Amino acid sequence: MENFNYPKLNLIKPVPSDIEIASSVEPLPIKTIAKSIGLLEEEIDFYGKYKAKVSLEVIERLKETENGNYVVVTGINPTPLGEGKSTTTIGLCQALGAHLGKKTFACIRQPSQGPTFGIKGGAAGGGYSQVIPMEEFNLHMTGDIHAITAANNLLAAAIDTRILHEGTQTDAQLWKRLCPVDSKDGSRKFAPIMLRRLKKLGIDKTDPNQLTEEEISKFVRLDIDPTRITWNRVLDTNDRFLRGISVGQGKEEQRFERKTNFDISVASEIMAVLALCTSLSDMRERLGRMVVGPSRSGEPITADDLGVGGALTVLMKDAIMPTLMQTLEGTPVLVHAGPFANIAHGNSSIIADQIALKLAGKDGYVVTEAGFGADIGAEKFFDIKCRSSGLKPNCAVIVATIRALKMHGGGPKVVAGTPLDKAYTSENIELLKKGVSNLAHHIKNLKKFGVGVVVAINKFHTDSDAEVNLLVEASLTAGANDAVMSDHWAEGGNGALDLANAVEKACKETNKDNFKYLYPLDKSIKEKIETIAKEIYGADGVEYSPEADDKIKLYTTQGFDKLPICMAKTHLSLSHDPERKGVPTGFILPIRDVRASIGAGFIYPLVGSMATIPGLPTRPCFYEIDIDTNTGKIIGLS
């Protein structure tokens, strides 16, 4: 980005609200950002003045270009308030790009409307380290989540509709309707997607007239087991009353009533597919092989079996392109995908990272963020995302706050919406000494993957010098390459310069060839689960419910046992119990259920209780959100 004039921040003390800061900065036209990073005009589709979709053709055009340095931002087990991973990601990129002159990209997830209007607020960063326009970033953006919702629910409709039609028609009637006679020439033809099902059934015929009655029966009857359907409907709202519903209340559908539920849209497997696919054709194959449940005989039923894989891809054809935005200081941001970090892998897309790494080039930096604590997000980044992409990271940044580590040391309970106890707002060395074990455990875990580790101490004005010094010393003792205090929230990129220098140094010191996964894929499902439980969480062992045992046997029989594991557990503790802080010991990890995302490409065990659609608190964020009807400006977003 030579000769590019980065905007200068007008820092105000005390720091105003996020929306006030974001509204005070005029974003650069996105075409200016696109040109500065080397995108061609034909490689971008504009969505207004400040957002643009980026074509996947960039990857092919720059395929001979050496990738930039690859950095992942993760964190300790946080308080319910969050410890600032997104803010740190943005501040680090502003420091590397606008202040150190490195070609730098932030690759982050798109926020869900659930947290935005619920308890957490938006995910654009905070203070003077934000993505702008923050209201566009947090609300709809370019409609990717809506596309996922539409595709997910089309598949859900196809499932129940197929059960109804198979339950009310003979094989001959189904055949007549699925493969009708052409009124013009009297012929029958298979739709292209039907050939996929025939191949799966071992039928190599392409002429419908050649099928035997037995083959016709096998072809038309999926025989889905309605009691074992794993595909739910979704919406992008925290609606707790949809955690359990009944479908089939209409006059024609009453015979097929069943209990099911909604998930939040970002928990859809289609979101995970979007994040893990590497091309349009790869996305098509992954969407087609998504399993919605077994037949009564135990055979996995896929979206392609239902004839809908192609239609899902059509709905997702624009969503596959990352969205280009910018930070407050004009550094580029690629926003793409937003899978939850509990039941999915919680990382932005491989495609965005691939595009950014090529545009950054050999001496540039791509900083991506892994959701939740390092025991979930970072482990899944390494073992699922990197395994799928083949990309090797140079460095992991682990975000820590003195506030959270005091909590892990036995401090009073932290509750969102309730003022912090004075233990968190005044110096307390003893609490901090007890709590640093949580950070040390995460550092030790990250080192197992062969990456450099830098600790970013996200500064709060109540942190004392003695506390910061203690944390730096403890981090270095635990094996971190470096540990620095970062004040990017209050000072933007300038406040993250020490962090940027530490990351640059760690990338130079790290040999990417030393990167390794935690486990090989050829281990059994239980062996992989137990490796994560013992090596990452520190559990003594694992216990499985009868339902989990049955699912593991089923997935092994179906040939899905060689997939990586995506553990669904609380982010608030290394264990399954969110109340157990620090580094819990002497616990057995309970696996209550095991599910499969075959299109995305992982098995996900459910650890303890896990809600797949959050609920709204008594006072949700939407109380603060409104619009100035005179200016059209949104107010109250955070």
Side-chain angles (χ1 to χ4, degrees):
M1 298 177 71
E2 295 178 11
N3 303 319
F4 181 75
N5 294 318
Y6 292 98
K8 302 298 180 186
L9 291 176
N10 178 27
L11 302 175
I12 298 173
K13 301 293 174 67
V15 178
S17 70
D18 291 349
I19 190 81
E20 286 179 275
I21 294 171
S23 299
S24 71
V25 177
E26 181 67 29
L28 298 168
I30 201 63
K31 62 182 178 182
T32 302
I33 303 290
K35 183 178 179 182
S36 73
I37 60 177
L39 286 171
L40 305 180
E41 188 174 340
E42 59 268 25
E43 293 170 341
I44 50 176
D45 288 336
F46 294 106
Y47 278 66
K49 297 178 182 178
Y50 307 121
K51 304 186 299 290
K53 285 281 194 178
V54 180
S55 169
L56 276 60
E57 293 173 4
V58 178
I59 300 170
E60 177 62 23
R61 174 170 67 86
L62 299 177
K63 63 183 178 182
E64 301 302 325
T65 302
E66 188 172 343
N67 284 345
N69 294 282
Y70 196 25
V71 180
V72 61
V73 176
T74 183
I76 60 173
N77 296 106
T79 68
L81 307 176
E83 308 316 309
K85 286 196 309 298
S86 298
T87 307
T88 301
T89 299
I90 301 306
L92 172 58
C93 289
Q94 290 180 164
L96 284 166
H99 295 266
L100 296 182
K102 307 293 182 182
K103 201 168 184 181
T104 304
F105 291 78
C107 290
I108 59 176
R109 293 178 293 167
Q110 178 182 352
S112 163
Q113 284 181 182
T116 298
F117 290 109
I119 196 168
K120 183 176 179 289
Y128 287 102
S129 294
Q130 292 189 57
V131 181
I132 54 172
M134 72 92 85
E135 62 272 31
E136 293 185 28
F137 176 83
N138 285 313
L139 302 172
H140 306 292
M141 210 167 67
T142 49
D144 293 355
I145 293 179
H146 300 314
I148 288 161
T149 304
N152 185 101
N153 293 342
L154 175 61
L155 180 52
I159 295 165
D160 285 306
T161 299
R162 186 60 175 261
I163 291 171
L164 180 146
H165 289 313
E166 287 190 23
T168 56
Q169 297 178 48
T170 64
D171 288 354
Q173 289 171 323
L174 286 168
W175 174 247
K176 181 180 178 181
R177 290 173 172 86
L178 284 170
C179 215
V181 174
D182 190 301
S183 58
K184 294 180 180 178
D185 60 13
S187 65
R188 292 182 190 270
K189 292 179 181 177
F190 287 123
I193 199 169
M194 292 176 170
L195 300 177
R196 292 174 179 249
R197 173 153 177 79
L198 290 168
K199 184 178 180 181
K200 176 180 174 180
L201 294 171
I203 301 171
D204 59 3
K205 300 171 184 177
T206 57
D207 182 354
N209 297 309
Q210 293 181 353
L211 266 63
T212 66
E213 285 191 13
E214 182 183 356
E215 289 171 337
I216 287 173
S217 181
K218 286 171 66 178
F219 171 74
V220 301
R221 219 161 266 289
L222 301 181
D223 199 26
I224 299 168
D225 185 344
T227 66
R228 293 199 287 172
I229 293 169
T230 56
W231 195 263
N232 297 326
R233 289 162 173 82
V234 301
L235 81 169
D236 197 29
T237 304
N238 289 0
D239 192 343
R240 66 174 69 242
F241 279 85
L242 294 177
R243 288 173 178 170
I245 62 167
S246 293
V247 294
Q249 301 298 311
K251 186 176 180 180
E252 292 182 44
E253 296 78 29
Q254 283 178 343
R255 284 176 51 194
F256 305 96
E257 178 185 346
R258 67 181 181 90
K259 292 190 181 299
T260 181
N261 58 275
F262 272 76
D263 295 330
I264 196 162
S265 295
V266 288
S268 170
E269 183 179 351
I270 295 177
M271 176 64 89
V273 166
L274 177 64
L276 288 170
C277 70
T278 55
S279 65
L280 183 61
S281 60
D282 183 38
M283 183 172 74
R284 169 63 185 89
E285 294 305 312
R286 287 174 180 267
L287 291 173
R289 66 173 180 258
M290 293 187 304
V291 172
V292 301
S295 67
R296 286 186 171 87
S297 64
E299 292 299 313
I301 304 300
T302 68
D304 272 351
D305 288 328
L306 285 156
V308 74
L312 301 182
T313 311
V314 169
L315 286 171
M316 294 292 293
K317 72 177 181 64
D318 293 329
I320 197 173
M321 295 187 288
T323 300
L324 177 65
M325 296 187 74
Q326 63 191 286
T327 69
L328 286 167
E329 298 190 57
T331 57
V333 181
L334 286 177
V335 188
H336 203 207
F340 258 27
N342 49 13
I343 70 166
H345 65 294
N347 284 261
S348 61
S349 78
I350 287 172
I351 285 172
D353 290 357
Q354 288 175 325
I355 290 172
L357 285 164
K358 292 301 180 187
L359 288 169
K362 180 182 176 182
D363 298 321
Y365 291 83
V366 172
V367 182
T368 190
E369 177 192 344
F372 288 169
D375 54 317
I376 303 180
E379 186 272 318
K380 295 174 183 179
F381 171 80
F382 297 132
D383 282 320
I384 297 175
K385 183 177 178 180
C386 290
R387 203 188 298 260
S388 188
S389 69
L391 297 171
K392 296 181 179 181
N394 300 74
C395 173
V397 174
I398 183 163
V399 179
T401 62
I402 288 167
R403 172 182 73 186
L405 291 172
K406 286 179 179 177
M407 176 194 71
H408 285 293
K413 190 170 184 176
V414 177
V415 180
T418 301
L420 286 170
D421 188 274
K422 65 178 182 180
Y424 300 111
T425 56
S426 58
E427 183 176 283
N428 193 319
I429 297 295
E430 289 308 308
L431 268 186
L432 185 58
K433 280 182 178 178
K434 293 176 183 177
V436 292
S437 60
N438 183 268
L439 172 59
H441 187 91
H442 286 296
I443 293 170
K444 179 185 72 174
N445 281 346
L446 292 176
K447 298 295 283 187
K448 292 176 182 179
F449 295 94
V451 298
V453 178
V454 173
V455 174
I457 305 167
N458 188 18
K459 184 183 179 183
F460 288 78
H461 73 276
T462 53
D463 299 340
S464 73
D465 289 343
E467 288 173 330
V468 171
N469 291 336
L470 188 158
L471 195 46
V472 169
E473 184 178 339
S475 300
L476 297 175
T477 301
N481 292 54
D482 208 343
V484 296
M485 189 277 290
S486 190
D487 197 13
H488 44 276
W489 180 80
E491 297 184 15
N494 191 56
L497 280 173
D498 287 344
L499 176 60
N501 286 320
V503 166
E504 186 176 5
K505 184 181 178 202
C507 287
K508 288 177 180 176
E509 292 174 347
T510 302
N511 182 349
K512 286 201 290 189
D513 292 337
N514 291 333
F515 173 70
K516 55 182 182 258
Y517 307 118
L518 187 67
Y519 54 79
L521 292 181
D522 58 6
K523 282 192 173 186
S524 69
I525 291 174
K526 283 191 174 181
E527 285 175 325
K528 285 179 281 201
I529 290 172
E530 286 158 22
T531 297
I532 297 170
K534 293 176 181 179
E535 290 286 321
I536 301 298
Y537 310 153
D540 287 348
V542 179
E543 64 179 11
Y544 303 88
S545 70
E547 184 178 9
D549 258 328
D550 289 344
K551 290 283 189 67
I552 289 171
K553 290 172 186 174
L554 174 65
Y555 297 144
T556 301
T557 301
Q558 292 176 335
F560 301 143
D561 55 314
K562 303 310 177 191
L563 294 173
I565 300 298
C566 184
M567 300 288 272
K569 88 169 183 71
T570 179
H571 61 296
L572 297 173
S573 170
L574 283 163
S575 74
H576 59 285
D577 181 355
E579 300 305 318
R580 297 190 68 173
K581 305 302 182 183
V583 182
T585 57
F587 67 94
I588 302 295
L589 196 75
I591 306 297
R592 70 174 177 87
D593 194 8
V594 179
R595 299 177 186 171
S597 290
I598 304 306
F602 52 72
I603 301 291
Y604 65 99
L606 298 178
V607 182
S609 60
M610 185 64 57
T612 55
I613 184 167
L616 290 170
T618 305
R619 194 181 193 282
C621 292
F622 61 61
Y623 272 85
E624 308 297 333
I625 299 171
D626 212 323
I627 191 165
D628 184 327
T629 55
N630 293 317
T631 64
K633 284 193 172 184
I634 294 168
I635 54 177
L637 272 177
S638 62

